[in-house]
Structure formats: C-alpha cells, structure tokens
Amino acid sequence: TLSRSRLFASLAMVDVGLIVYLTAWYLGNYYYNIFNKTAAKAGGGSEYAMIMAWIQMAVGAVYALALWILPEARKAPAITFTQVMKLAPVGFFTAAAHAGAVFSLSAGAVSFAQVIKAAEPAFAAAIGYAVYGSSVSRAKLLMLVPVIGGICIASASELDFTWACLAAAGGANVAAAFRGQENKKAMAGDMKAAIGGGANAYAIGTLWSTLLLIPTVFITGEWQKMDAFLKVWEDDGLPGHTGFRFNLIMSGLTFYLYNEVSTLALGKISGVTHSVANTAKRAIIIVGCAIAFGESMSPSKMAGCSIAIGGTFLYAVADDILPQKKKTA
C-alpha cells in the first residue's frame, strides 16, 4: 500500500503537459522533414524551393489567423501599427532562414542539411559578437571547435554532398542568428505584454515571413516557371510521383506546429534542459531521416555528426559547467 501511494505521488509530480509538448515537438519536426523532402522529390527537388517555402509559411499563417478569429481559441495580440512594424526585421530573417532551409533540404540529403544546421550556435556567436556587440565566454568559444570540426568531417564523407545544400544551410544559419538577435530587441519593453506570449509572437513573425517570401519567388526567377508549377500541382506531382499537394500542405502545418510547441516547451523548462532536448531531437531527426530516405550513413559521417551535435550541446551548457569568474574591483 505504501509503495502504491509512493507510485501515485510520483505520477502526480510528472509534468504531463511538458511530455506532450516535447513529444509533439519531436514528432512535428521529424514529420516536417519527411513531408518536406517527399514533396520536394515529387515536385522536382529544389526547382520550386521558394514557392514551396512560401506555401508552407502561408499554411502556418492561415492556421495562426484561424486561432485568432475562432471564438475562445486564442486571444489576438493588442498591438499598435508601430509595434507591428518593429517586428518586421524578425519576419524578414524568419523568411530568409526558412527559404535557405527549404532549399538545402530539397537540394541535398536531409541528414547532411541537419548536420550543417547543428552549427547554428557558431553563427549566432559570430554575428552576435561582430554585429550586436554580444560577448561570448571563452568556454563557449572552445566548444565551437568540435562543432565546426564535426561538420568538416561529416561534409568530407557525405556521398550526397552539394555546394548548394551547404551554402543554403549556412545561409539559413546566418539568418537564424540575426532573427534571434532581432527578436531580443523587438521583445524588449512593453512589447511582450502587448503581444500576449510566445505563441502570438511566433504567429506575427510567420505572417511577416509569408509576406516577405513573395519577392523571393520573383528574385529567383521561379515566377517564370509558375505555369509548370501549377501543372505539377494539378497532377499532384511529376510523372511517376504522387502526393505532392498533401505533403506540401502537411509540411507547412507541421513546420508551424513544431515551432510553436518548441516555444511553449521553452516556457516550461530551463534553457539548459531545452538545449538537451534540442540536441537529442536533432540526433533523432538525422538518423531517422537517413533511414527513411536511404541516405548515406558512413561511419565517418556519423562520427562527424556526433562530434558536431555533442559540441552544440556543450556550447549550450558551457557557462553552466564552467561559470565565468566575476571580476573584482
């Protein structure tokens, strides 16, 4: 009886909400990569990457607006036009990060693109220091060595290596670094209270991103192939393929949901725990997608991947493991 009461007490302490968030985050991220790559294969690889990126964002925008419009679903943010405009840079870099990620995932192996994405902390540290004057501890700088070294090892052994994939994933990392810094600036003062939480902030960023992705369709020249894209859409894929529409729409929905759930999870756990969860998530996605799409899994690639992901985790917790000494006057 005593052991049973202890069991019930332990179960009562389990944060069911957090478990749901983490599960949804992992599954959403995994299936986004599956849906996105399947849609890209059915639609011609990176041929229509910007159009696909825009449709994915548009799906998320429709979902966000629906939550605000539907009664008792989610309270819309009470912000001014000036505050909306302050979020434009966040939307711009969100759009750039998504466009680069979609192109990289379409142009090369999903597992390889995810290895490059693991280098986000290196880009964030460099841009934060060079552009925004942010300081980075020596411990964190040292942890960038295995991140960059692991990526070099994985790249050298990648059978599906393409420079386009590397450049696009790297560009996505640069944009993500700027987005993080601009988001910190935008959310200062009374902005956070006016928006009403991280979910609404992400929704506004998605709306901005949907708008700002439209020019990329023209800049890349994809608008000239719009008739061909509409034919692929109507036929539900290129000859010999099917499921293009379903996978593209579902990739947009899962992309929005997993990012929103990630924001909600961050509100329930510490930054370090979030970093641990994010590290584990990336490892699961790399291995899972490599298996799902039959991508190369050479020992050297997996070793490089493990080193890079391990370095990413150590970077996230470096200051907690090796706290900086406070300067004495």
Side-chain angles (χ1 to χ4, degrees), residues 200-211:
N200 275 348
Y202 181 70
I204 295 171
T206 297
L207 292 170
W208 264 120
S209 181
T210 304
L211 180 65

Side-chain angles (χ1 to χ4, degrees), residues 191-202:
M191 178 70 86
K192 190 172 183 178
I195 288 177
N200 275 348
Y202 181 70

Side-chain angles (χ1 to χ4, degrees), residues 68 74-80 83-88 90 183 185-205 208 263:
W68 289 339
R74 177 178 293 164
K75 186 178 180 181
I79 57 176
T80 64
Q83 289 174 318
V84 171
M85 295 306 295
K86 283 183 179 180
L87 290 167
V90 178
N183 191 58
K185 286 171 56 180
M187 296 300 285
D190 59 352
M191 178 70 86
K192 190 172 183 178
I195 288 177
N200 275 348
Y202 181 70
I204 295 171
W208 264 120
T263 303

Side-chain angles (χ1 to χ4, degrees), residues 157-325:
S157 58
E158 175 56 54
L159 298 178
D160 302 313
F161 177 84
T162 65
W163 284 107
C165 178
L166 177 63
N173 284 349
V174 171
F178 275 106
R179 177 185 61 197
Q181 293 289 343
E182 289 296 328
N183 191 58
K184 288 180 183 177
K185 286 171 56 180
M187 296 300 285
D190 59 352
M191 178 70 86
K192 190 172 183 178
I195 288 177
N200 275 348
Y202 181 70
I204 295 171
T206 297
L207 292 170
W208 264 120
S209 181
T210 304
L211 180 65
L212 295 171
L213 273 172
I214 294 174
T216 66
V217 177
F218 294 89
I219 293 170
T220 59
E222 288 187 20
W223 67 276
Q224 296 176 322
K225 300 179 284 186
M226 189 59 72
D227 288 341
F229 174 80
L230 292 175
K231 180 70 166 57
V232 173
W233 179 270
E234 183 181 347
D235 294 343
D236 203 22
L238 293 171
H241 295 275
T242 187
F244 177 65
R245 293 192 299 265
F246 173 79
N247 283 290
L248 185 53
I249 292 171
M250 288 303 298
S251 65
L253 184 60
T254 51
F255 178 80
Y256 185 91
L257 290 176
Y258 93 72
N259 276 288
E260 183 176 80
V261 169
S262 172
T263 303
L264 295 172
L266 184 57
K268 295 180 71 69
I269 56 180
S270 68
V272 174
T273 304
H274 194 270
S275 297
V276 174
N278 196 41
T279 302
K281 177 213 72 176
R282 198 171 295 282
I284 291 169
I285 289 172
I286 289 172
V287 175
C289 289
I291 294 172
F293 294 112
E295 297 171 354
S296 63
M297 294 270 288
S298 66
S300 55
K301 176 182 175 179
M302 296 312 297
C305 170
S306 300
I307 293 169
I309 291 176
T312 301
F313 168 66
L314 290 174
Y315 175 90
V317 300
D319 289 343
D320 297 278
I321 298 173
L322 300 170
Q324 291 179 279
K325 293 181 180 179

